[in-house]
Structures are given as C-alpha cells and as structure tokens.
Amino acid sequence: MNRDISFPSHRENRFYQGMAATLVANALQAVNFLGDRFLRQSPHSLSAIEDLYRHSMDSAFSVTEAFLVTGAPHASAYYPRDFAWFYPDVLDPETIMDAHDALRRVRLLEKSVRLLLEAVRTDVVTTTIVPAGRGRYLGVNYFSRPSDTLLGIVAGLQQMLSAEERASSFLAMSQCAHAGRLLLAEYGGDLKRAILKLASELESFDADGTRYLLCDAAGPRSAATDTRAERRRFVTNACVYTTFLWGVQLGIVGENELKRLLGRDLAQYKRDLLRLFGQDGYIRHSLDGPTGPPVSLVALDFVSVHRGFWDMNDASERELFAATTDLIIAEPRFRIPSTFHFLVSADNPRNKMIHKIAAPAYQGRSSWPTFNVEFADRMLDFDEASESDTYRACAQGILKDIRTATEVHGGYQELISEQGLKYRTWAYRGAVAHSWFPRFLSVWRRAYGTPLLQWHD
C-alpha cells in the first residue's frame, strides 16, 4: 500500500427529503441555473483535441471539486445515475494523463460514491442530491421516482472495485480498489436492503395472458431521459434488471433472494422484458403511448448502459437489437444532416415551457453525444458477438463526428441541437460535459484499434 496516497476522512453528513426539502432544493437549483446563465465564462479558445481533453480533465477532476460533476449548469448537485450512464470509464488507464490525474480521479470517485452510499443508508434514494451547506444534503426527485439511482451507485462501486484489474502502472488504482472493498463491507447491507426494496416495488402488468413485472406499470419512473414522464418504458425497466444483475455479481444480494420476490430467476425476468417490449420485432420505447409507424416508437436510449442490459449472447436478442438499430440508422429524422450524429428520437414529444427556458428536452430533437458513444459501443458488442463487421463503420462514423463537434464547439458537449449546433436555451448555454469525455476515448480505442490520444509510453 502506498502511504503517500490517502483519502480524507469524511465528516458526518445529514440527508433530508420531503416537501420542504424539495422546495429548498428547487430554489437552490434555480440559483445554479441563473448563476450559470450570467456567470459562465466564454468558451475556451483551444481547438486541438489533445488540448481540449487536458483542459476538460483539469476541470472535471480538479482538486477543488467536492464531487464528480458534469460541467452542465445543474452540475452543483449529485446525480447518482451518472456513474452508470456517463462515468463508466473514469478509471480507464488509457484515458488518464499522468499519476496526478489518476490520483485526483480516484479521490473524487471515492468521495462521491461514499456520499451516495451514506444517502442510501438514510433511505434517501432519489434522482438528485442537492448540497445545502455544512454537510447538509437534500434528496429530491425531478418528474418521478428513480429507476436508475441504485444502478448508478452500484456502478460507481463496481468501478472502484475493478480498478486494480486494469493494466496500469498507477499506484492510485490499487488504493481505489482497496477503498472500494472497504465501502462494500461498510455499506453492503444498506445496498442489499435498498435493492430488495426495489424488487418488492415491481408491479404486475398483464399482456396477452402473461404476467410481467414492471417498475413503472402504474406510474412513471425516472431514468436518464425522463422528461416525457411516461409509464412502461423499456429503459427504466432495463435499468432495474441491470441493478439486480450487478448486485448479484458484486455479492451484494443473492439471486435466490431476488427470485423469491420476483417469482422468477433473472434470466427469465430479462426474457420477459425482451418479449414484452420487442413483441413487434424491435424494441419499443414505451408501451404507454399512441400507436404509429415503428420509427416513431423507438428511441436512442434503448442502448442502455455499458455492460448493462444488452450482452448479445442470445441470437434472438441480437436480432431485436439489430432491428431497432436499423430503424434508427435508416430514418433521416434521427440524424443531424450529413453526419452520424443521432438524435434521441424522431419526434419532439412534450417541449414544455421549462424546456425552452431552463432545461433541455432530453427526449426530443436533440443529440446526446454520450448516448451516441453508447450506441457505437453496443454496435461493437453486436459485431463481436456475431463475429461480423455489420456496424463497425457506422460506429466509427459516430465517433469521428463527435470528435469533429468537440473540436468545432471547443469541448465535449453535453447536448447538440437538431441543427448540429451547441444546444442553447435561455438558461442552458451549451454546457461542456467534462467528465463524460473519458468514455469517448475508451470506445474510440475499441472502434479503431488504436488510442485517439496517448499520454505515456
């Protein structure tokens, strides 16, 4: 153990939720958006991808940061889901610039995951945790209860535990794995209780004479694209399945314990979800919506999270993935013209006033570069499992266009507009998604076989 690497001791933190906490949290977040609107500095003048990446990493993992942030105007709050959706490669050695960068990433990851686990211990499992000063935190749900908060927390812990398994010369990696084991020992019981509670909350949904289990049969549950507030969404239920799967893999919860609550094993639970949402031959975004042509019923977030729902081991699963992917690729409305930049959906559903003033319409006519990266990675998963090169060229095109947009816009954007420009609302000024950048480099290396950037021999 390297004695020069140590984690600061954590002070006692208190977590609050309820109507009063929500009101205060909303006020604090409004101040954050307004502050970003009027105080955000002008875009950085750098244009070379290496310089942009270094600047982004210095910003995302600065020693002055209290927790891992995205660089968006709402980044002054914790979003537990992000550790699954957006931060899976924070500790990929090929994305780390030097030993100092490795150390600050490890410290920030440990600090962030520990606080989220403390929240779970106090039964605050929400989409958002807003700091309110002096070790006080407010748990609040935006739009609906979460389906992917526990997924994000388990993903953060999973990344810490696997740090020393990566081929790396950075001593901070073994320290991170040790810290992860300590966190698992300290908070594993709390995570188990929360995961079993999630399993007990699943609701029956009957279709075609079959009884399915959904997390959102009666009311919407939040996921990474949640502003549609729909019920019976594929992505929310895929997140719940993945939470169970990872919980079992880490030894947090036993599969037999889940089986008693679910009335079926995890393999059957997954097959049920594929049968229900893939009954038309492609993965439908939501069962709770109007009928229409297939392309209007799918959304890019079906790709889920890294090493999550899709493992491509089964031929029928690959067939569903390919059919959904082909619909998206073939539909011009899914693509920014003349690029491989895919939009979240073919139609813009509920573009409310708040989306025009403050927040992005996540599920509308905008492009998330990070979802495009996951789309590319799932394509590579498919090709590897099927021993083909069906989608490699498209995956490479996606990544190439994201690199171009990053250089043009001066950083890795959180969102890009339907016209391929910086996404802008009155308060949302085209945020640079600093801490999402490493994931892009990791998938680039997989798609092209060589790293985009090299920091050390």
Side-chain angles (χ1 to χ4, degrees):
M1 189 66 62
N2 188 341
R3 296 181 181 274
D4 295 328
I5 301 174
S6 62
F7 296 99
S9 59
H10 66 287
R11 60 185 178 181
E12 181 181 359
N13 294 313
R14 294 184 181 275
F15 299 86
Y16 305 89
Q17 61 181 339
M19 185 174 296
T22 297
L23 290 173
V24 174
N26 286 339
L28 289 173
Q29 287 293 72
V31 171
N32 293 336
F33 269 94
L34 290 173
D36 182 85
R37 171 64 175 81
F38 293 109
L39 300 179
R40 180 183 283 270
Q41 297 178 352
S42 59
H44 208 272
S45 59
L46 302 173
S47 59
I49 192 73
E50 181 173 340
D51 294 335
L52 288 167
Y53 185 76
R54 183 176 293 279
H55 174 69
S56 292
M57 295 305 95
D58 289 343
S59 299
F61 304 106
S62 169
V63 294
T64 63
E65 291 289 357
F67 53 90
L68 189 57
V69 299
T70 65
H74 50 281
S76 50
Y78 288 77
Y79 293 87
R81 65 177 55 153
D82 288 359
F83 291 89
W85 283 94
F86 308 129
Y87 308 150
D89 282 321
V90 166
L91 299 184
D92 180 353
E94 289 194 358
T95 74
I96 297 175
M97 299 181 293
D98 50 39
H100 175 66
D101 187 28
L103 177 58
R104 65 187 181 183
R105 291 192 194 195
V106 164
R107 283 179 167 167
L108 201 55
L109 182 61
E110 191 273 347
K111 189 187 304 183
S112 301
V113 173
R114 176 179 288 278
L115 186 131
L116 298 178
L117 288 169
E118 290 177 13
V120 171
R121 172 164 289 179
T122 61
D123 202 29
V124 175
V125 180
T126 55
T127 65
T128 310
I129 298 177
V130 181
R134 298 188 305 278
R136 303 295 190 266
Y137 297 91
L138 309 174
V140 59
N141 290 326
Y142 291 114
F143 304 106
S144 57
R145 296 165 60 212
S147 69
D148 53 0
T149 286
L150 290 175
L151 175 67
I153 296 171
V154 173
L157 186 58
Q158 185 183 59
Q159 185 166 186
M160 293 181 67
L161 291 166
S162 62
E164 64 185 359
E165 298 173 7
R166 296 175 180 266
S168 170
S169 60
F170 300 124
L171 294 175
M173 302 293 262
S174 61
Q175 178 72 4
C176 186
H178 177 68
R181 289 190 289 268
L182 293 177
L183 288 177
L184 181 59
E186 184 176 356
Y187 294 98
D190 303 297
L191 272 175
K192 176 179 179 178
R193 171 178 50 82
I195 290 173
L196 291 177
K197 180 181 178 182
L198 176 63
S200 69
E201 292 173 346
L202 298 188
E203 306 158 337
S204 295
F205 178 74
D206 296 325
D208 301 323
T210 303
R211 175 180 173 269
Y212 299 93
L213 288 176
L214 300 180
C215 70
D216 54 358
R221 295 289 289 252
S222 171
T225 52
D226 56 15
T227 52
R228 268 183 167 173
E230 292 168 315
R231 300 175 300 163
R232 305 166 191 169
R233 293 177 63 202
F234 172 76
V235 69
T236 53
N237 289 281
C239 283
V240 170
Y241 164 81
T242 307
T243 302
F244 297 155
L245 178 67
W246 289 356
V248 170
Q249 290 175 347
L250 289 184
I252 296 170
V253 62
E255 184 167 2
N256 286 335
E257 295 175 286
L258 289 171
K259 184 176 181 179
R260 283 194 294 270
L261 288 171
L262 303 178
R264 64 205 73 187
D265 59 28
L266 287 182
Q268 183 61 51
Y269 176 46
K270 176 177 177 176
R271 286 194 295 269
D272 289 346
L273 292 177
L274 287 172
R275 183 184 304 114
L276 180 62
F277 288 93
Q279 57 189 322
D280 297 319
Y282 53 87
I283 295 297
R284 182 169 175 171
H285 163 71
S286 171
L287 305 178
D288 186 34
T291 59
V295 73
S296 68
L297 302 179
V298 301
L300 187 59
D301 64 2
F302 90 99
V303 296
S304 192
V305 297
H306 175 49
R307 294 173 55 233
F309 185 88
W310 299 97
D311 58 31
M312 306 293 180
N313 289 333
D314 185 80
S316 61
E317 179 178 323
R318 293 195 298 272
E319 184 178 347
L320 273 174
F321 175 85
T324 313
T325 296
D326 291 345
L327 280 174
I328 292 173
I329 291 175
E331 173 54 53
R333 288 177 298 164
F334 259 108
R335 200 181 302 194
I336 294 173
S338 303
T339 74
F340 281 95
H341 242 129
F342 293 94
L343 306 172
V344 175
S345 63
D347 302 300
N348 196 4
R350 303 174 182 174
N351 200 353
K352 301 177 183 178
M353 186 61 68
I354 190 174
H355 300 146
K356 299 177 181 179
I357 297 174
Y362 289 128
Q363 198 63 339
R365 301 288 295 159
S366 56
S367 172
W368 285 49
T370 188
F371 281 2
N372 276 263
V373 168
E374 292 308 318
F375 195 24
D377 201 44
R378 292 301 82 70
M379 290 178 178
L380 298 175
D381 288 342
F382 177 93
D383 283 2
E384 182 177 295
S386 61
E387 300 181 344
S388 69
D389 280 325
T390 304
Y391 295 116
R392 179 170 295 275
C394 186
Q396 291 175 337
I398 290 171
L399 299 169
K400 180 180 178 182
D401 283 338
I402 291 175
R403 173 184 177 171
T404 299
T406 300
E407 292 175 326
V408 168
H409 298 313
Y412 191 90
Q413 298 296 302
E414 184 184 40
L415 290 168
I416 296 176
S417 76
E418 185 178 355
Q419 293 76 35
L421 306 174
K422 284 187 178 182
Y423 188 99
R424 289 179 181 271
T425 62
W426 184 84
Y428 198 96
R429 304 284 293 174
V432 176
H434 299 310
S435 47
W436 302 358
F437 214 156
R439 178 69 178 139
F440 167 69
L441 292 190
S442 296
V443 180
W444 180 286
R445 171 68 173 81
R446 185 183 185 193
Y448 284 94
T450 57
L452 177 60
L453 302 174
Q454 290 183 309
W455 302 104
H456 47 78
D457 295 328

